[in-house]
Amino acid sequence: MRTRTSAPRRGAPRRIAALAVVSVLGAGLLAGCADDGDSKDSSGSGSSSGGSGGGGAKTTLTVGVFGAFGLKEAGLYDAYMKLHPDIEIKQTSIERNENYYPQLLTHLGSGSGLADIQAVEVNNIAEVTATQAAHLEDLGKVKGVEKDAFLPWKWGQATTKDGKTVGLGTDIGPQGICYRKDLFAAAGLPTDREAVGKLWAGDWQKYLAVGEQYKAKAPKGTAFVDSASGVLNAVTGSGATRYYDADGKVVYKSNPAVKAAWDTAASFATHGLTAKLQQFQPSWDQGFANGTFATVSCPAWMLGYIQDKAGAAGKGKWDVAAAPKPSNWGGAFLVVPSAGKHRAQAAELAAWLTAPAQQATFFEKRGSFPSARAAYALPAVSGAHHDYFGGAPIGQIFAKAAEGTPVQALGPKDLIIAQNLADVGMLQVDQKGRSPQAGWEAAVKAIDNALDQ
């Protein structure tokens, strides 16, 4: 933030990686975290009514997700069934979103093979909202759903131009900067998270300047950041306009904000401030374990990933500070197909699963940060601290980032654009020493080819 059991593609919420370490999260993420109950996987699609043991007939609602989405693992289905003895919830899961999403589009088009509730990854929500709204229920009209309970930009991502809200947000990925206190101290930089955040507050160029300071006294064998691509992702996520404009036009080539983000990230590479790694590859994981870089742009869901990869030796060495500018990376939605047999009951379940109280539980149990801002005042969020990261008040840090993230227009091919900018263009600058202009041209060529297909 979803991850699944292998390294996710760039731009995805990383639920595969993040939720694969749920046992680690339970041990160190939040004070007062309860253990999840055991649950068994269910298979099958569609909805049905069947006999129940000891009661009347039950309505079976199915939920289709990708990977270890987390709602079931957080115990939310069990909690709902206790409140509604006439409902049985069964979940189906396809491991990777790149396999799940094409099937979802096919099923929406045919009106068959759908679960009562389907999950949609944030990088797909723009296409779903623009092209599939006629096949989905308007969840903004469901009893108990309050628009003002959600972050405005999150609500807007799944709302059509004529005001139909086809998806309710489950979680988001507000970003901070995770940093190694021991490496900062060795380089003569402050280590207190408030002081660290002030070093680069308000400007990504200040983050670059701190990197120069780090490099001057860097411990041998270490770099300031993990990768230039990671910086690029964070900077582009903090702008109001990115790859598409409000009218749905592809503007990444002409958008000065994207070019400025590119130039900033490329400067980290050309100034020798990166460890030249590719995120979510084995060498990147090893970098956490060996302490070979001092900072990484990290959304809330990445804390568990860092804890898992850095291991016990990293406890107390890592901390998290505010990013230069609020930024988001990741998140998902629930939609209710109109072809379902139990649309009203499915919509009621979707509304309950995404209500502030349940999102707070989702965060407490799984580390998925709420998209419902009304959850931020709840103790499970506002009082959340992370022992592994020096007791950092992560609930407060990420809530502030979430509320400051700009409303950002999303497009149907956001993920393709982001992947090629990072993995075709910036990676060449970072690892192969190509010029920023050459890397940009390579990325643009790859993107244009992909968009023409």
Side-chain angles (χ1 to χ4, degrees):
M1 258 101 315
R2 308 252 87 15
T3 49
R4 326 322 180 191
T5 56
S6 56
R9 295 297 298 161
R10 178 168 303 282
R14 274 32 182 213
R15 223 178 261 267
I16 297 174
L19 297 187
V21 295
V22 65
S23 61
V24 178
L25 285 171
L29 175 57
L30 302 168
C33 216
D35 291 335
D36 293 342
D38 293 335
S39 58
K40 297 180 179 179
D41 291 333
S42 300
S43 59
S45 61
S47 55
S48 62
S49 296
S52 64
K58 287 190 176 185
T59 297
T60 298
L61 298 178
T62 54
V63 183
V65 303
F66 43 102
F69 198 83
L71 296 172
K72 179 179 180 179
E73 294 84 350
L76 293 179
Y77 298 160
D78 288 340
Y80 191 82
M81 288 187 286
K82 287 181 180 179
L83 293 172
H84 301 81
D86 60 328
I87 296 292
E88 181 177 2
I89 302 171
K90 292 186 177 181
Q91 178 178 286
T92 62
S93 178
I94 294 176
E95 181 179 346
R96 298 186 67 86
N97 184 53
E98 54 261 46
N99 297 323
Y100 167 88
Y101 182 61
Q103 291 187 31
L104 174 60
L105 290 181
T106 298
H107 293 157
L108 284 171
S110 67
S112 63
L114 292 157
D116 293 297
I117 295 174
Q118 298 277 177
V120 178
E121 207 271 328
V122 65
N123 286 295
N124 303 127
I125 195 62
E127 183 173 25
V128 167
T129 302
T131 67
Q132 303 298 321
H135 304 299
L136 300 170
E137 295 296 288
D138 188 346
L139 300 182
K141 296 181 178 179
V142 177
K143 182 179 179 181
V145 174
E146 297 182 7
K147 175 181 178 180
D148 291 342
F150 290 83
L151 292 160
W153 57 267
K154 183 70 172 183
W155 182 271
Q157 287 176 341
T159 300
T160 65
K161 292 182 179 180
D162 60 0
K164 182 178 181 179
T165 299
V166 300
L168 297 176
T170 56
D171 64 310
I172 55 175
Q175 296 200 76
I177 300 292
C178 291
Y179 66 99
R180 285 277 300 239
K181 291 184 289 189
D182 57 332
L183 298 182
F184 266 45
L189 295 171
T191 60
D192 174 76
R193 68 181 67 93
E194 294 291 335
V196 169
K198 289 179 181 178
L199 290 175
W200 49 61
D203 191 345
W204 289 101
Q205 288 294 322
K206 291 182 179 178
Y207 185 44
L208 177 67
V210 175
E212 298 282 15
Q213 296 177 45
Y214 179 86
K215 181 181 178 182
K217 298 182 179 179
K220 186 177 181 180
T222 70
F224 182 62
V225 298
D226 62 320
S227 66
S229 294
V231 175
L232 177 64
N233 179 73
V235 181
T236 54
S238 65
T241 303
R242 190 171 57 164
Y243 310 135
Y244 288 77
D245 65 15
D247 295 324
K249 180 182 177 182
V250 177
V251 295
Y252 79 95
K253 282 188 282 189
S254 60
N255 182 5
V258 171
K259 194 57 169 63
W262 175 273
D263 291 342
T264 297
S267 292
F268 278 80
T270 58
H271 291 200
L273 304 181
T274 82
K276 303 181 185 299
L277 300 172
Q278 184 175 7
Q279 293 187 328
F280 298 97
Q281 296 299 315
S283 59
W284 190 62
D285 295 347
Q286 197 61 42
F288 282 114
N290 295 337
T292 56
F293 49 87
T295 71
V296 60
S297 301
C298 60
W301 49 259
M302 194 185 286
L303 299 184
Y305 190 93
I306 294 173
Q307 182 176 349
D308 180 51
K309 301 305 178 183
K315 184 176 182 180
K317 294 179 180 178
W318 281 98
D319 209 324
V320 56
K325 291 184 178 180
S327 178
N328 185 75
W329 179 10
F333 297 80
L334 298 180
V335 302
V336 175
S338 297
K341 295 181 180 179
H342 304 293
R343 296 188 300 274
Q345 290 160 304
E348 182 180 350
L349 172 58
W352 186 87
L353 289 170
T354 57
Q358 280 65 255
Q359 290 204 25
T361 298
F362 197 22
F363 175 57
E364 184 179 32
K365 298 290 184 68
R366 305 293 293 178
S368 298
F369 203 80
S371 64
R373 60 182 176 183
Y376 299 165
L378 299 178
V381 181
S382 63
H385 291 73
H386 203 308
D387 290 342
Y388 189 88
F389 289 79
I394 58 172
Q396 298 175 28
I397 291 172
F398 290 117
K400 186 175 181 180
E403 292 175 329
T405 297
V407 177
Q408 192 173 73
L410 297 180
K413 305 303 180 184
D414 262 3
L415 185 56
I416 289 175
I417 296 172
Q419 285 176 344
N420 283 287
L421 284 174
D423 295 339
V424 172
M426 191 57 69
L427 198 64
Q428 293 185 15
V429 178
D430 203 10
Q431 293 188 350
K432 298 182 180 179
R434 297 193 69 185
S435 71
Q437 183 61 30
W440 173 262
E441 291 172 356
V444 168
K445 181 178 180 180
I447 293 167
D448 286 348
N449 288 338
L451 296 184
D452 286 341
Q453 294 178 1

